[in-house]
Amino acid sequence: MTVKQISVFVENKPNSMSKFTDVLSANNIDMRALSLAEAADFGVVRVIVDDVYNAMQVIKDAGYICSATKVLAVAIPDEPGGLNSVLAVLSEAQINVEYMYAFAGKNDGKAIMIIQAEDLEAAEGILQRGGFQQAEIEGI
């Protein structure tokens, strides 16, 4: 249920995201999911890509500060209340969700949510026991 996510610090100014995605594009790295959280001077780009090792190398070579972490990729029912069913299972187990974002794509009629939790291993086990499955992400 876990996948590797790359977090990258990007300056919060015009053209910064374009320059970052230029690096990925020029190196034939395909993004599967992306989240951008901003602060006053910088943003944190969280990205799921098809080739984590190569992406980390080219991102670092381009001068960015980045790190790779595990996150959950959960297939959830693509219907009203689908996300709530995942969050209810985690809430019942007292597992804090630190952040999450949606994945652009479908997985056999299910939506895909990327989740980072305070205790990732516990969250993964709880969700598996709750009947939730790992999302299949093409190329990963």
Side-chain angles (χ1 to χ4, degrees):
M1 194 173 284
T2 61
V3 296
K4 290 265 182 138
Q5 165 193 270
I6 300 172
S7 298
V8 185
F9 289 99
V10 177
E11 287 185 278
N12 189 4
K13 64 181 190 179
N15 300 322
S16 292
M17 280 299 295
S18 178
K19 289 177 183 176
F20 171 69
T21 59
D22 280 346
V23 170
L24 299 180
S25 178
N27 288 278
N28 203 33
I29 295 170
D30 195 5
M31 291 185 292
R32 303 293 189 213
L34 180 136
S35 169
L36 172 62
E38 52 83 25
D41 297 325
F42 67 91
V44 177
V45 178
R46 294 182 172 109
V47 62
I48 309 287
V49 298
D50 62 340
D51 185 347
V52 174
Y53 178 79
N54 189 37
M56 289 288 290
Q57 294 302 309
V58 300
I59 291 168
K60 286 179 182 178
D61 289 348
Y64 292 95
I65 297 170
C66 62
S67 63
T69 56
K70 289 183 181 180
V71 292
L72 299 175
V74 183
I76 62 174
D78 188 11
E79 61 191 27
L83 176 59
N84 186 62
S85 63
V86 169
L87 295 176
V89 168
L90 294 173
S91 179
E92 185 176 309
Q94 298 296 305
I95 294 175
N96 183 44
V97 173
E98 295 177 347
Y99 61 84
M100 64 183 169
Y101 54 96
F103 175 92
K106 297 278 185 171
N107 187 27
D108 292 327
K110 296 188 184 238
I112 301 172
M113 186 63 65
I114 304 298
I115 299 174
Q116 179 60 281
E118 193 171 67
D119 185 340
L120 198 63
E121 190 174 304
E124 182 176 19
I126 292 293
L127 290 173
Q128 286 175 343
R129 287 190 293 282
F132 295 97
Q133 299 173 349
Q134 176 170 339
E136 297 295 324
I137 301 174
E138 185 179 329
I140 296 179

